[in-house]
Amino acid sequence: MVSLKPTNIKLPSLNGGDAHQSPVDGNKTPKTPQDEAIAFFSGESDGKPVQVWELALENDGGPGEGKDYIRLPPPVRPYVLRFSIRPGTNVTRNGVLKSDFPMDGGVFQRGDWKERRLPTDLSKPITIDLPISAPGAFCYYIEYDGATPSSPRITGRKGYFNVDPIITLPERTLFFPSSNNSKNNNQSPLNDESAGAILPKSSNVTLDGLIILSVLAKWMGKSNEWEKHFEEASRRGYNMLHWAPLQQRGFSGSPYSIKDQLSYDQAILVDNKVKDGGFAEIDKVVKHAKEKYGLGSVTDVVLNHMAYDSPWLEQHPEAGYSPQNTPHLAPAVELEDAILSLSSNLSSLGLPSTLNSEQDLQQLIPAMRKAIDDAKLWEYYVFDVRSSVSEVGSSLLQGKPQPKSWRGSNLSGNQSVSQLAEVIKNEVGMIDNYKAYSSRYCSTVQPAIAAGFVQAAYPNESPENQAQKWGEILDVLNVDLYSECNDDVNAAIDGIVGRLRFTRLEDGGPKLGAINEERPLVEKYFTRLPANKTTSKHSKASLALANNGWMWGADPLKNFAEYPSKAYIRRQVIVWDDCVKLRYGNSKEDNPWLWDHMIKYTELLASTFDGFRLDNCHSTPLHLGVAVIDAGRRINPNLYIMAELFTGSSEMDLKFVRELGINSLVREAYNGHDVKNFADLLWRFGLGKPVGSMDAACLSSNDELSPPFGKGANRPCVVTPLQGSVPHAVFYDLTHDNQSPFDKRTAEDALSTGALVTFSRAALGSNKGFDDLYPKLLDLVTDNRLYEVSDPKKENGIGKVKRVLNHLHTQMMEQGFTEGHVHEEGQYIMIHRVHPITHKGYMLIAHCAFKGFQGRGWIKPIKLSRTNISYLFGAGVSTDFSQWKSDAKTHKGIPSKLEEIPEPQITKSQDNDGQYSEINIPDRFEPGSIMVFSTSMDEISPDLDAKIQSGAYEAFSDLDLVDLNTILHRADGEERDATGGDGVYTIPNYGTLVYCGLEGWMHPLREIMEKNDLGHPLCAHLREGTWAMDYVLNRLEKQTGDLPRLSKPHKWLSERFNLIKETCPAFMRPKYFALVIYEAYKASRRAVVEQCSEFISSGHSFTHDLALCSVQMYGLVKSASINPSKPVPSLAAGLPHFAAGWARCWGRDVFISLRGLFLTTGNFPAARDHILSFGSTLKHGLIPNLLDSTRNPRYNCRDGPWWFCQNIQDYTKMCPNGQALLNDKVKRRFPLDDTWVEWDHPRAYESESSVAELVQEILQRHAEGIEFREYNAGDNLDMDMRDEGFNQKIYVDWETGIIFGGNRYNCGTWMDKMGSSDKAGNKGLPATPRDGAPVEITGLLKSTLTWVDGLAKQGKWPAKGVKATIKGETKLVTYKEWADLIQKSFEKCYYVPSDPAEDVNYDINPGMVNRRGIYKDVYGTPKDREWSDYQLRCNYTLPMIVAPELFTPEKAIGALQIADANLRGPLGFKTLDPSDSQYRGDYDNSNDGHDQAIAKGWNYHQGPEWGFPTGWFLMAYLKFDRIAGEGKKDPTRTMHYISNILQKHAEHITKDPWRGLPELTNSNGSYCYDSCNTQAWSASTILDVLEEMHKIGKEIKQ
């Protein structure tokens, strides 16, 4: 046996270097494929865009659904895999991306995890870029810190990415040059001998471009006879040969039963005495096939078994499974021995040795049962009762051995024998070798233990009786074991009988004939190694080796030869009795020789062949497959791996593919059992993408790539999101080991099926028997005839057609015909392949030839809209099996005749969609016939995609934010106000969009583009007509009068929509509509971001989304102008409920929202406009809650003026030269004496004040006290309010400096729900009057006083303080004095101490306290409702932001932690403590019941979770946790905590059609129907948080 290492092949060095590399300096690392990426990206840019594939990871750092496997293209030019993660997720806590990809260069080493630290700036997008230039299979995961400093590091979920190999083959001349994809000179392509010629230059071929022909070398003769086979395969368009194993075969003759993995089959070698095992000879001929004929090579790698007669097994029987190393196989060996012995004695027993009937078979069963019974297999199962009783008796009577005291389960002394048997069975460790089946009577209990047990079980019995009782217990245990043995034996007999019936009687079986020693009753499950000098060194038990096979429905991850599987004893394996199953164990340490041997075998093959086919992959242990493939790829990094994998589960297939790094899975067209099922297979494995796909074209975006290694040039790039991958298919028309078309369908079907497969977007596979129309499946084992090679002038079978179609397939795949359409109708299947850019295509019409199909069949004419069709060729085949004769030396196909089909009738006409072409199927078009056409959508420009995408930025960049509000958003009410009636668009069978602008269309389009869902109702609507395009244009055209800058984007959109209307067939409209809308959307979004602050423009996508909310809410709505005499844009409180008219613009909402939406984003002009407009309406020292364009403002909010002052303060600090605002003059809507006049009255606007004077007036009026009755009080103003509620009174308590106000019947803060249910009795009663001193007003007052005091000290304020009457004396109170009063009294008045012992230090009524360690919601509520002061609500977090000096940090963080634990919901903050008796968490404004607490939504602020207080809380937490909490030691933990909370908000805004944050949710984040879907202040306060984090992040960096 030759087993020497071939001399002409250099094996890998120990350091893993490439065997093909030249010797290098030992001090230098050889250059590897990944080193090329480092060199590429570290150098100068060539100006060409780099492809960036972006994989967005989930919040836990793992891949999203369907994305745990990513397949990437061959890195012919280096590209980038980008991992992107939302900032602030848990994984950003000191996160590290780990991957075994050699990201720093060098060679790949499985388990060698390289690292990239995640960026720590939580305000920026978090991305990790991996430059890719090396193929292979790689894993990644993220490791990050736990939730607390003491928590262990967390390892995230793993994901996998496989990079396709770079396959290089010689180029060939084309059948259909790209400049003209129609036929030339009227010559049929079937007769074109010039095409397909091998050219003297190489090109890269994608996996889809591979066309693989399976061949058996033993049917080709010796290697010097192979050239004619190469010529034929190349001529027929194949570019890869799949070689069944070429190694030395075992006695059976099967190529898959390998006798010696380290030498080639002597039958195929010219020189079979060569010492290198024939490696040089085969290597040379394989390379010749590639260089001269363009044929790459793939060979089978057989890992799971070797030939039963391999000398290797005699030397190393440990390589197999035997009773020696797998003891539970022992009874299976004995059972088989018994049946084999019977096989030789049938005649002597008077039994039939030849089975002619079922009766004959039944006669054998009793004999088989007796033979097995005689083997006494039950002894492997049961306890030896007699022996054990004797041993236990010795222990009990003689103390040999001494009984061990029972320390197990409690024994009562009166249990039954059965109960005691159960105790023994369930007592861990009591029974040795229980159900091990490893030897006769292997199940035992140590005598000392058994003796102690029966002593405890029968304490009053004599030792003799105790021993007897032990025997009774064992008898009970043995009952189940005897039954188990009988069950296994019965299963074995059933299995034997079933196989005998199939192999000896059934028509579909092999009918093996007489039963004798050579062909016994059973196929051998075990190989008995011969007794010789070599095997004498091994134990007898090691010489019976389990043969391999397969099992129906088996779990591929479970080895059926290993314990506890009973597959061998129960005879459940469909066995290959010429192959011994190999035993690899769990690692190399379990079987060193076998691992080394098979790795060497793999490496030798990898040095010759371009790829491997993993035979029987589903039975290959995963860890072995990984090691073997890694070994092969160390030799050839571009090794292509295809696999035969039949797990029965797509999930299991995926596991093998991603973890082993399989490139293609073998799939087969002949698994289709009817036309529809066949079409489904073509669609699943060969469609590619549907025609008109929009995912890549629409979702890809241009960007700039920073150098991944920190040096080198920036480069332009195209970023494309990854949506996950499915395993790639190598789609065979028919594999080499399955029934022929003649057997399964008809011989004629080979043409139609073979043609349809070539139109698949997949690697293709076939075999010579399919092309040559062999009538039967050839026996790979016993058949030794040779292939017949065709004359090029007269191809056998369908070879002439396959030649054209195979070449066409590779051409389509390499030229980018990635889109397809599969149509099945009756007996026909049509496939149309289209290039997504040029819109040229090829179409195949095939008439399938399943059994029973005759004649033309019925099919409608094939109609293609706005598409020109040219006929290329067609053919049909007829066969005559009666003329076929088997040849003793040569494989022969069924005699056949190939006939060309004349050009069919192709007509052109017009319909509503424009011109169309129609193919009429000829009257004579027999089953099996095909026609091939070229198609072109000539009206569509090849650069239509580029035209659509061009100029978008220029068209939209000049728009201001008000223009962009119209372009992007506009809810129904806003649009109707602007256009006089036109609202949002309704898509049939889908519903109404939420916005009129681009954002409205983007919600359905995002889902369509991401999933490529061309069946979506919007796509159907677009195919039916162009109404959606008209709507987009018409609405803009109508508004160019008010917003003239809209004319430019209108023109841009109009040009593109006209192009689509004029040139695109209906089925292409969805793609191009999506492309136009998305390009416009991206340009508009960019225009918004570019007009925003640095905080926004440098932020991540969530920041941008929130910034878009500021545009969403700010638009020109004439009915809600903030100027009564002209249209001026205004800020909506929320959408859709507050879209237009008096309900749009609310004072409180504006000034809670203004900082986040306008100041953090940099929209200072809008902020100033709103400040001046509301300032003009100052009256009674208040600003209005409802503005109503300043015409009819309503003054019923006590907090409004303080939010107004706070925003002025924020403006002066955040806006460049912001203090100039204080000097701006404001015309006063009302006379200074508070007289009500109409907006156009002469006294209106007669006075003027500066902004500073307005603030001073607010302070002064409050210091004096405010008391008035609302103008126009009564039902006209508020039909729900009681009369007392219109009376407003506000005053200062000069003992504390705190402002008080309100009464039981009005509600002057944001918690302003007025009851309206007569039925329930809450009409006229506010649910939350908060009369007294609401905590947020006190904080805002203190903030204003501190700010004004600072300006006054600088001489920048028009006053020193306020005049107040205190204890009857009028005096000047300076701002500092007033502020100091509040500072001194705040915690005394508001804090509820954690320790009751501290109550004496605070203004506390202990009887009212429900929860401690918090701040009161209100101070000074009248005594009849004093309990409301102590309710835990969200409002005390606001003063912590604007006046943090009021709080003791330790008390503040404690109160915040309580709020966090009890009030925080997924998106919002509960407005009341769930433990409060008044808590009602679900708001329903339509409730008209009798429950006062919830009728007509009275519980609006009594539990539902409001969005904007979340921002208050997070701002406060951000401050105080870094002062007194966990963040004191590590501020980044605070940042991470807050960022993690915001993940829900980021997720919501990306998925919600309104693209905003809701006003409120019901309990635990559930949807609230009555809430605004997007609310100004909800987005605003989160922007405040992000801006603060942005600033802190900068400080940390510095």
Side-chain angles (χ1 to χ4, degrees), residues 155 167 223 237 322 347 351 671 739 907 922 1058 1160 1208 1269 1567 1581:
T155 298
I167 298 174
S223 68
S322 67
S347 297
L351 295 171
N671 286 330
Q739 288 177 292
T907 59
N1058 286 339
T1160 71
I1208 294 171
R1269 182 172 175 80
Y1567 176 72
T1581 62

Side-chain angles (χ1 to χ4, degrees), residues 666-686:
V666 174
R667 303 302 188 198
E668 187 170 355
Y670 262 77
N671 286 330
H673 53 76
D674 57 27
V675 177
K676 185 178 188 313
N677 183 239
F678 181 24
D680 288 343
L681 294 177
L682 290 165
W683 185 90
R684 190 189 321 164
F685 301 129

Side-chain angles (χ1 to χ4, degrees), residues 1122 1147 1151 1170-1187 1190-1205 1208 1226-1237 1243-1262 1266 1268 1290 1357:
I1122 56 175
F1151 292 110
H1170 283 76
I1171 288 171
L1172 297 182
S1173 177
F1174 275 91
S1176 73
T1177 62
L1178 185 66
K1179 187 173 185 281
H1180 307 298
L1182 305 176
I1183 64 161
N1185 194 22
L1186 284 172
L1187 183 66
T1190 77
R1191 291 184 177 91
N1192 296 293
R1194 184 180 180 190
Y1195 297 87
N1196 65 334
C1197 68
R1198 290 182 282 128
D1199 55 353
W1202 304 111
W1203 283 111
F1204 176 74
C1205 291
I1208 294 171
V1226 179
K1227 293 286 188 178
R1228 302 292 292 271
R1229 163 73 177 80
F1230 295 102
L1232 299 183
D1233 62 4
D1234 292 342
T1235 301
W1236 180 279
V1237 296
R1243 292 194 66 192
Y1245 300 107
E1246 67 178 2
S1247 303
E1248 183 178 78
S1249 302
S1250 68
V1251 172
E1253 289 168 346
L1254 296 177
V1255 175
Q1256 178 63 27
E1257 184 176 329
I1258 290 169
L1259 288 166
Q1260 183 59 50
R1261 293 295 293 269
H1262 280 78
I1266 299 169
F1268 66 96
I1290 305 171
W1357 195 255

Side-chain angles (χ1 to χ4, degrees), residues 962-977:
V962 176
D963 300 323
L964 287 161
N965 166 266
T966 303
I967 289 285
L968 285 166
H969 300 109
R970 282 277 181 84
D972 190 70
E974 296 173 301
E975 186 82 354
R976 292 184 186 280
D977 184 279

Side-chain angles (χ1 to χ4, degrees), residues 1404-1421:
I1404 290 293
N1405 180 349
M1408 296 290 174
V1409 174
N1410 178 48
R1411 196 183 287 278
R1412 290 184 170 274
I1414 65 171
Y1415 288 84
K1416 297 175 187 175
D1417 185 58
V1418 180
Y1419 175 62
T1421 301

